Amino acid sequence: MAGTRTFSIIKPDATERNLTGAVNKVIEEGGLRIVAQRRIKMTREQAERFYSVHAERPFFGELVDFMTSGPVVVQVLEGENAVARYRDVMGATNPEEAAEGTIRALFAKSIGENSAHGSDSDENAAIEIAQFFSEADIAG
Ligand code: CMP
């Protein structure tokens, strides 16, 4: 049983510091499989669409600027309860509140430059995966 899927982004603050492999190690040791992965430079249109639920937030412009400032690695992760498991593996959005050993505790610089994104529900995972991958790109 392959489990369920979630969508992940390794953010520009992490790729800039050459931490893709280090983040992937925490993901894999956390019990998730990387079943699709691609390094891209997001366009403003992609970032604005991806974060459209946050469009009215005061940090929206800053968020889009940051997510388009350098390469990101978009990923599909698979495992038992993948959405919840990856949220545990990432730690809290604010690195100051993130538990020891989590991606954000280990690597994040701030609440904005927080190294990783993960979906917040199975429904959003499916929507987010479909924005960047087709089923043929995913090998579980
Ligand atoms: P993410 O999981 O990618 O989803 C929305 C992102 O908005 C979140 O991670 C944070 O990186 C970012 N974010 C949340 N709150 C703030 C904030 N107060 N200032 C800047 N960015 C924020």
Side-chain angles (χ1 to χ4, degrees), residues 11 51 54 59 62-63 93 104 111-112 114 116-118:
K11 296 187 180 185
Y51 281 121
H54 298 301
F59 57 81
E62 194 185 312
L63 178 59
T93 304
R104 276 133 171 196
I111 194 165
N114 66 354
H117 163 84

Side-chain angles (χ1 to χ4, degrees), residues 42-72:
M42 267 199 202
T43 64
R44 284 199 83 77
E45 290 69 27
Q46 279 177 312
E48 283 170 0
R49 181 175 159 212
F50 183 77
Y51 281 121
S52 58
V53 296
H54 298 301
E56 305 307 321
R57 302 277 197 105
F59 57 81
F60 182 66
E62 194 185 312
L63 178 59
V64 171
D65 286 347
F66 169 59
M67 292 302 288
T68 55
S69 67
V72 300

Side-chain angles (χ1 to χ4, degrees), residues 92-135:
T93 304
N94 183 348
E96 286 174 16
E97 293 163 13
E100 202 179 319
T102 61
I103 291 169
R104 276 133 171 196
L106 288 166
F107 307 122
K109 295 165 83 171
S110 66
I111 194 165
E113 301 196 14
N114 66 354
S115 302
H117 163 84
S119 308
D120 63 5
S121 66
D122 286 347
E123 187 191 2
N124 283 336
I127 292 167
E128 292 175 0
I129 289 168
Q131 190 180 336
F132 293 96
F133 294 99
S134 68
E135 208 46 49

Side-chain angles (χ1 to χ4, degrees), residues 66-84:
F66 169 59
M67 292 302 288
T68 55
S69 67
V72 300
V73 179
V74 291
Q75 304 175 308
V76 181
L77 309 181
E78 209 167 77
E80 204 176 308
N81 296 316
V83 166

